[in-house]
Amino acid sequence: MSQNENLAALSAAGVSVWLDDLSRDRIQSGNLAELINTRSVVGVTTNPTIFQTALSQGHAYDKQVEELAAQGVDVDAAIRTITTDDVRAACDVLAGVYEASGGVDGRVSIEVDPRFAFDAEKTTAQAIDLWKTVDRPNLFIKIPATEAGLPAISATLAEGISVNVTLIFSVARYRAVMGSYLDGINKAKGAGHDPAKIHSVASFFVSRVDTEIDKRLEAIGTPEALALRGKAGVANARLAYAEYQDVFDGGKHTSTYAHLAASGANRQRPLWASTGVKNPDYSDTLYVTELVAKNTVNTLPEKTLEAFADHGETRGDTMSGTAEQAQEVFDQLTAVGVDLNDVFEVLEREGVEKFEKSWGELLSATTEELRGAGSN
């Protein structure tokens, strides 16, 4: 089997292609391995919505649910066992990629319970528990970038645990996330952990920004406002990449990282999340083609992955040197009346609520399945 040319070109440009999906069927059927071999996939991300979807479809989990019901486990323990088993198996499928990339890729992410998004202590405790339970070096623990999440990120990294920071919407919060990463690595070093073995990505959400801002632009309705539709998501990510370069790639604030890098510390790579295009008026590869730069990750839903495999174009680095142009877009958004601070507050709140809702649906569905299996 050979790699798809379009995705191989994207990978060669410095973008790590990760699949934004996981299910037991995908693992057991060999589909995940096939995507590694033919679609340049070098990582996997999960979230509560993905797990809720996986458990609600097909019969791949029926036998395990019956066994758990017979053991009398509660629903939280059942979900923890089911999800960590899937993630551990996916880690094993990606172990070769992990080794070949020196630990940079071959990663699988599992998220802490979204009900803990505003509780730093519970988030940290569960992060440590998930790390021990999955027990694979190529695991990422996903922690949301809420205000409460920031100290949890530092505390988890300080334990020598690799972290995927999720639900980042604003550049201001992204700066704080990078600060938490550097603080955590410094603490890990002080505690005797090898910084070279700790990795992190910062997941910056893209399409949801356009969805929310486009809605506001259409409500404003002026020609100037309507002309800005579909521009905010890419501009926001490009401003974020400029901040990444400032801190990790030779910018004026690189000194802190440079000091830690001397001890083997890794960069915290930017990861472009929510890259499935939701507006049919936009190119279905928009959030891939326009977000190409070295040392980045793009998590693609399978539909977007296949779209790029079919007709995606890599035009080289489309991020570096674009900050000024991106800032102009944001200045124009403010000028037509978009309250950007409110946009990012709404997106963070809704992001947590969506994952809490999916987690609640997962709890309800699993409770029913456990009850049904227990009565057989």
Side-chain angles (χ1 to χ4, degrees):
M1 289 185 287
S2 59
Q3 295 289 359
N4 172 270
E5 290 184 2
N6 293 342
L7 287 160
L10 181 66
S11 179
V15 179
S16 291
V17 177
W18 290 7
L19 177 70
D20 192 24
D21 189 51
L22 185 65
S23 68
R24 191 159 295 179
D25 277 336
R26 192 182 290 282
I27 297 166
Q28 294 180 342
S29 68
N31 174 260
L32 178 57
E34 182 182 354
L35 293 176
I36 294 168
N37 292 327
T38 66
R39 293 293 186 266
S40 297
V41 168
V42 292
V44 168
T45 53
T46 68
N47 60 45
T49 301
I50 286 171
F51 278 130
Q52 189 275 330
T53 301
L55 268 74
S56 67
Q57 297 177 348
H59 301 283
Y61 299 93
D62 289 356
K63 181 179 179 182
Q64 186 172 27
V65 170
E66 290 177 7
E67 293 171 351
L68 292 169
Q71 294 167 20
V73 303
D74 64 29
V75 64
D76 286 294
I79 290 173
R80 180 175 175 276
T81 298
I82 291 167
T83 57
T84 54
D85 281 359
D86 276 4
V87 168
R88 187 183 304 109
C91 282
D92 291 343
V93 174
L94 282 152
V97 175
Y98 171 77
E99 293 170 5
S101 66
V104 174
D105 285 311
R107 297 279 176 170
V108 184
S109 298
I110 187 170
E111 188 155 347
V112 295
D113 188 327
R115 294 173 296 180
F116 301 156
F118 302 104
D119 189 319
E121 289 187 7
K122 287 183 178 179
T123 292
T124 304
Q126 193 182 60
I128 295 170
D129 180 62
L130 287 170
W131 180 260
K132 291 178 179 178
T133 300
V134 175
D135 192 27
R136 293 295 186 272
N138 51 331
L139 178 69
F140 265 141
I141 304 296
K142 289 181 83 171
I143 298 176
T146 58
E147 288 284 357
L150 296 173
I153 292 160
S154 294
T156 302
L157 289 161
E159 296 289 331
I161 296 171
S162 295
V163 173
N164 176 343
V165 184
T166 189
L167 286 179
I168 306 171
F169 295 99
S170 72
V171 172
R173 183 57 55 84
Y174 178 45
R175 289 193 200 103
V177 165
M178 290 188 287
S180 293
Y181 171 73
L182 294 169
D183 179 59
I185 293 297
N186 193 48
K187 288 176 179 175
K189 179 185 172 186
H193 296 289
D194 182 359
K197 294 182 178 179
I198 308 169
H199 287 258
S200 183
V201 292
S203 297
F204 205 86
F205 280 52
V206 185
S207 68
R208 293 189 195 181
V209 173
D210 271 337
T211 300
E212 179 64 25
I213 289 181
D214 282 3
K215 180 174 64 177
R216 298 183 185 215
L217 291 170
E218 287 163 5
I220 294 167
T222 64
E224 293 82 5
L226 296 177
L228 292 168
R229 288 177 297 181
K231 295 183 178 180
V234 169
N236 201 33
R238 287 175 171 174
L239 289 171
Y241 187 70
E243 293 293 330
Y244 158 78
Q245 290 181 306
D246 183 49
V247 173
F248 291 105
D249 200 14
K252 62 182 180 181
H253 293 111
T254 305
S255 57
T256 302
Y257 168 64
H259 174 73
L260 292 169
S263 301
N266 298 291
R267 304 161 184 257
Q268 184 187 49
R269 292 186 294 166
L271 179 154
W272 314 125
S274 182
T275 56
V277 176
K278 296 175 174 61
N279 189 327
D281 293 336
Y282 304 155
S283 164
D284 56 2
T285 61
L286 172 67
Y287 304 124
V288 185
T289 300
E290 300 301 329
L291 302 178
V292 175
K294 64 179 182 179
N295 295 316
T296 62
V297 181
N298 198 311
T299 59
L300 284 69
E302 187 169 25
K303 182 178 178 181
T304 307
L305 181 78
E306 291 305 322
F308 199 89
D310 180 65
H311 53 265
E313 293 182 315
T314 301
R315 304 191 305 266
D317 187 338
T318 54
M319 302 287 283
S320 299
T322 62
E324 185 176 343
Q325 181 183 5
Q327 185 58 53
E328 287 178 2
V329 171
F330 268 50
D331 292 343
Q332 291 166 0
L333 288 167
T334 300
V336 299
V338 175
D339 184 342
L340 293 169
N341 288 332
D342 184 66
V343 166
F344 297 132
E345 288 175 9
V346 166
L347 286 170
E348 180 179 294
R349 183 176 68 250
E350 290 184 348
V352 173
E353 288 173 353
K354 286 176 182 177
F355 284 164
E356 283 182 339
K357 182 175 183 289
S358 294
W359 197 258
E361 291 171 353
L362 179 58
L363 286 168
S364 297
T366 306
T367 298
E368 290 299 316
E369 290 187 28
L370 286 169
R371 187 177 294 127
S375 64
N376 291 338

